[in-house]
Amino acid sequence: MSAFAGIVSLDGRPLERHAEDRVAVALTAMRPGRTSAWRSRGAIFVHKSSEANKYSEAGRPAFRDSDALFTALARIDNREELGDALGLGPTELAQTSDAELIQRLFLRWGDCGVARCVGAFAFAHWDAAARRLTLGRDCLGNRPLFYHRGPEFVCFATTLGALLALPGVPRAIDEIALAQFIAVNNGNERRTFYRDIERVRSCTLVTIDRNGINDRRYWAPDLDAAPPYRRDEDYIERARELFDAAVAAATRDTPHLAIATSGGLDSSAIAATAARQGIAASISCFCLVPPPGTNIDVGRFKYLDERDKVEALGQMYPGLRLHFVAPERVHPKAFDDTRHFVGIHLPAFDAAGLGFGPYLPETVLATGHRAMLIGNYGNFGLTWWGRLSLVDLFQGRQWRSLLRDLQDVARQSDRGLARTMAADLFFPLAPHWTRRLIHRLRGKDPDSVAQYCVLNPTFIAETGLARSWRAQGFDPWFGVRDWNAKRLRAYRLFDHNQYARDVRGLAEETSGLEIRDPHGDRRLLEFALSVPEPMYRRDGIPRSFARRVLADRLPAAILSEQRRGANTPTWFRTLDARRSDITADIDRLDASPLAKRLLDLPRLKRLVAQWPNDANEAQKRKAEYRSALARGVHVGRFIRWVEGGNA
């Protein structure tokens, strides 16, 4: 994996020569690579290039003059547009790396120049004369970037492991930030799980000098723009154009494609579009399926196996190479969490998923690929399900359409008019205090996170977490955050869950694969936010806009499916295989004061004592075992690893 790191002295003092060696060693600790170092007055930048990954950023990565340093990890998807803005001819543009494009745009137009860039990037710029460091990250946070500000110096790096290895950077857990993670409160934007280490947020530039830290957004979608079209057909045609362009941009330097493919609309649309474009030498679809004989009841709204839908896609596009990954055994990584921690210095959100999830990227790597396409951003972009369509019609006083769609949604969901009105109209529009009252009337504590996490109730009380959750607007029962669909989706796309963005950006550290998502093309997302909300749920059918957009390229088996694929349905096999280890882990957590303070260890022990008899019984208690138990024990092991207790 390519990476960069650096140290700058804010008071102008020269840095010692050995600091350069420390930075280079920190960058190559996990994976070897060629390092290049640059010095300027009071600053050292080191860039590591990974020769193993030919799909990584190409070109000269860093630049130096007497008063400035610049380095970047960059993959720019609108090179031609940026070249025109800079007045570069075709030959000069072809000789200009993506990193150099960002540098020129930043130096010429500052924040506005960075806002022009579409793609995945992180960069650092040091102005020696002003003693000012600027750090930047792309709009989706596809490339991670972390920093620590000391008394008179700043250290930064694109991996936590490299940053923690730099001189003067503390290695201590931020217990409040980790508690928020355990509670699934993903609102922390700058704060990491390490004290005094912050991240550069997506869509953000951070400027650091002797006067302090200036953290600012350089771009935001225009949510007040007038609708671009009047006719549905025009929206559909434009969506197809933009999605085709997004897939082409994500694959322009990758002749042999690997796509993590499911039976849903998002990833299958990527595979179908790439096949239609015919520009790839080969397209391989990798699908994780349960092993033969698996019989788990995942409920009426989900399906267990993706195989039949992916096979239907393969029949429609015979050129696709289908690979079904059906692991028979729990992955070795599930038995040694430290293998995950060493990779990215963070806990996993879905600890139970470590039992089978690693098999898919390992299969992709074994077939010679170094980049993998996914379709995660579609959920709040092109394939949004239209959850707030009735609210939108109500706010727009479109009474006739509201009555018709209310009946359609009630019929499709089989909930009846009263329940549909309550769930899809009244509850999203209700004030926060009303929602809390409804929870209490239903016998639910509106401040309780106990249903899915093992955060210690004493810790919650002592730190006033429940009070801070109310102030933040965090709802432990995950009600709708905002009745305005555009604001809700924009927040989820560009701001929500910075931790997950870090993990995705660090995928090469854990799996060796670069992750790309055509659904995350900013131009496509901006357009998707402009599509009227009722178009996303037409005739009561969720994701109806995407179904119409993709009707020209997907088989009926995928287009007509309204259920969702079960995510890692064999998760209980991982827990069951580790049952004795989990019991021992919980006992060892007693030796860690921080683990005892954060985690409800007696409850963990009770859950072990009440162990489910089989996968179907566990499925009924999924929140307790997959979320509370698995994540709680995994986070406990992370705490002990940071403390040195797992040596």
Side-chain angles (χ1 to χ4, degrees), residues 451-530:
Q451 66 271 21
Y452 55 83
C453 92
V454 289
L455 198 59
N456 192 336
T458 302
F459 180 86
I460 295 175
E462 290 177 351
T463 56
L465 273 179
R467 183 171 60 254
S468 69
W469 291 336
R470 290 194 295 271
Q472 295 168 8
F474 169 61
D475 179 3
W477 296 89
F478 304 107
V480 176
R481 175 188 171 91
D482 196 321
W483 61 262
N484 184 290
K486 289 184 180 181
R487 287 198 303 262
L488 170 67
R489 293 167 60 207
Y491 170 75
R492 293 298 297 259
L493 288 168
F494 301 110
D495 298 291
H496 178 71
N497 203 347
Q498 295 289 325
Y499 154 84
R501 300 169 198 271
D502 296 342
V503 171
R504 185 167 51 249
L506 293 167
E508 282 189 79
E509 294 289 340
T510 55
S511 69
L513 287 171
E514 179 193 354
I515 301 300
R516 303 178 185 177
D517 188 346
H519 284 277
D521 187 292
R522 197 182 81 189
R523 296 161 295 188
L524 175 63
L525 293 177
E526 286 183 272
F527 171 76
L529 289 172
S530 75

Side-chain angles (χ1 to χ4, degrees), residues 165-237:
L166 297 183
V169 178
R171 182 186 174 93
I173 289 177
D174 183 330
E175 61 180 24
I176 296 297
L178 192 57
Q180 303 284 22
F181 170 77
I182 298 169
V184 200
N185 179 10
N186 298 315
N188 281 338
E189 295 189 350
R190 291 171 53 178
R191 204 167 179 173
T192 70
F193 300 155
Y194 294 92
R195 200 174 303 154
D196 298 321
I197 293 179
E198 296 189 343
R199 68 170 58 85
V200 179
R201 300 175 298 152
S202 51
C203 290
T204 299
L205 294 177
V206 175
T207 300
I208 308 172
D209 56 25
R210 298 198 69 183
N211 296 321
I213 300 174
N214 178 16
D215 179 292
R216 63 193 184 277
R217 292 178 67 91
Y218 61 80
W219 177 87
D222 183 0
L223 302 181
D224 298 320
Y229 304 110
R230 292 185 178 181
R231 300 189 314 145
D232 287 10
E233 292 79 5
D234 294 329
Y235 281 101
I236 292 170
E237 180 181 353

